[in-house]
Amino acid sequence: MELTGPAEVRAALRDVEYLADDRISQVVYLAEQLGKPILVEGPAGVGKTELAKALSTIFDRRLIRLQCYEGLDESKAIYEWNYKKQLLRIQAGGEEAWGSLEEDIFSDEFLLARPLLEGILSEQPVVLLIDEIDRVEVETEALLLEVLSDFQVSIPELGTMAARTQPLVLLTSNNTRELSEALKRRCLFLHIGYPTVEREQEILLARVDGLTEMLGEQVARVVSSIRDLDLKKAPSVSESIDWARTLLALGIDRVDSDVLDETLHVLLKYQADIDTARRELVEA
Ligand SMILES: Nc1ncnc2c1ncn2[C@@H]1O[C@H](COP(=O)(O)OP(=O)(O)O)[C@@H](O)[C@H]1O
Ligand SMILES: [Mg+2]
């Protein structure tokens, strides 16, 4: 799809039930125009991963996702050799001269492309999501950065593999540690925070079947005032969606302090937070 400006990005995202604000649509538009990766940062559950999925749908590109975790290394992020298959080939080789066998087993056929290489080798442009990059060690981050800077991977035995098409790259971070300056320099920065009451109401209406406008607005308002409290973990958009679904499942069509008291545990995951909210909002 050709998009002519941020407003169109926003409308296209809305069509796939992703409610963006002006900043999100502007950064997406610029990333597409400038061919730069987007670094999406913000608390858990505010729609970072979902943005990548929505972009893959509106641009009609396959989504390739690298879920980061502590200990993730090159062999899981970029590529590795299929040792098992290589061994079998060597065993089957028998008399063959070692030289030609070596050439043979370090060929495409024995290469396992992991998400980054897969994205680079794709004939059709993809959306490449590197999710929760703050979970990998700094060294691994540098390695990923190298691939993203040149859109190429060097494999000693095979040579350099350059991107056939330019992927749209999104990196997300929950901010558990600082990312490197080098990475930030490469990317367009996008902070996604908790939505406004209006945007959250729209998200709820898009994502929760059977929700009325009135209940959607109440949920968004109450959640927003809960986020203003001093909590260990503020409720995210996923939790307000869960809460709205809970209310519907219980046949509740308006929120009062009894309802809040009975269902707070769907929104808050620490007893201390539940106590705080009860004190400030239910008993007040
Ligand atoms: N802007 C949005 N529009 C529509 N749904 C949203 C939006 N933001 C969050 N959501 C909902 O919240 C859920 C959690 O979002 P997710 O992308 O997994 O959060 P994150 O990756 O930031 O932790 C999604 O599955 C989606 O249903
Ligand atoms: Mg996520």
Side-chain angles (χ1 to χ4, degrees):
M1 183 194 305
E2 276 289 335
L3 294 168
T4 53
E8 260 192 85
V9 173
R10 192 169 175 166
L13 283 171
R14 176 186 296 269
D15 285 345
V16 296
E17 301 190 334
Y18 188 90
L19 283 305
D21 58 13
D22 287 342
R23 175 54 49 81
I24 296 174
S25 9
Q26 185 220 42
V27 174
V28 167
Y29 178 67
L30 291 175
E32 216 266 326
Q33 291 291 303
L34 308 178
K36 281 193 153 212
I38 309 175
L39 173 59
V40 193
E41 169 263 355
V46 293
K48 301 184 297 297
T49 302
E50 197 69 20
L51 176 61
K53 293 183 187 167
L55 291 177
S56 116
T57 310
I58 67 170
F59 290 121
D60 195 20
R61 293 174 172 214
R62 188 158 68 95
L63 178 70
I64 297 182
R65 177 179 184 174
L66 174 64
Q67 174 60 55
C68 296
Y69 51 88
E70 208 184 317
L72 173 77
D73 63 14
E74 198 172 0
S75 72
K76 291 290 172 283
I78 309 178
Y79 76 90
E80 67 184 322
W81 290 106
N82 188 340
Y83 297 118
K84 217 163 156 187
K85 202 168 165 192
Q86 285 178 325
L87 260 177
L88 287 172
R89 179 72 187 80
I90 292 168
Q91 282 164 358
E95 326 267 272
E96 222 175 310
W98 171 246
S100 69
L101 196 56
E102 193 184 2
E103 218 163 79
D104 197 24
I105 61 171
F106 289 108
S107 62
D108 278 2
E109 197 194 331
F110 297 88
L111 192 69
L112 294 172
R114 299 307 182 198
L116 251 56
L117 182 61
E118 200 188 336
I120 278 188
L121 293 180
S122 173
E123 303 276 358
Q124 301 295 325
V126 299
V127 171
L128 180 60
L129 167 63
I130 301 180
D131 217 3
E132 306 187 0
I133 190 172
D134 52 326
R135 292 205 199 181
V136 302
E137 287 77 13
V138 186
E139 300 74 42
T140 314
E141 184 190 318
L143 220 80
L144 302 182
L145 178 65
E146 209 178 292
V147 176
L148 296 177
S149 322
D150 316 332
F151 285 120
Q152 66 179 37
V153 170
S154 327
I155 302 174
E157 299 87 348
L158 287 181
T160 300
M161 308 200 139
R164 296 174 178 151
T165 49
Q166 172 128 338
L168 174 61
V169 181
L170 275 89
L171 303 111
T172 77
S173 165
N174 287 339
N175 259 333
T176 57
R177 69 167 172 87
E178 272 291 313
L179 300 174
S180 73
E181 288 299 322
L183 181 79
K184 291 185 188 162
R185 216 177 309 123
R186 271 264 120 54
C187 299
L188 293 173
F189 179 70
L190 173 63
H191 172 80
I192 304 186
Y194 297 119
T196 59
V197 170
E198 292 70 33
R199 189 159 71 93
E200 188 147 17
Q201 183 194 9
E202 287 187 86
I203 296 173
L204 290 165
L205 291 171
R207 298 280 164 152
V208 182
D209 286 338
L211 189 69
T212 61
E213 294 225 357
M214 195 199 78
L215 189 56
E217 187 188 346
Q218 277 197 324
V219 167
R221 282 198 186 289
V222 172
V223 169
S224 163
S225 54
I226 291 182
R227 287 190 191 122
D228 287 338
L229 304 174
D230 183 19
L231 301 172
K232 269 173 90 141
K233 167 74 180 68
S236 70
V237 177
S238 358
E239 277 129 9
S240 59
I241 291 175
D242 286 345
W243 192 41
R245 290 196 177 125
T246 300
L247 298 176
L248 289 184
L250 296 175
I252 290 162
D253 53 18
R254 65 178 290 276
V255 181
D256 56 25
S257 52
D258 282 345
V259 166
L260 185 58
D261 193 23
E262 292 294 315
T263 55
L264 264 179
H265 58 277
V266 178
L267 280 172
L268 297 168
K269 306 298 165 70
Y270 289 94
Q271 190 55 42
D273 288 349
I274 295 176
D275 293 340
T276 305
R278 189 165 282 140
R279 201 168 52 241
E280 301 284 335
L281 300 174
V282 177
E283 288 156 13

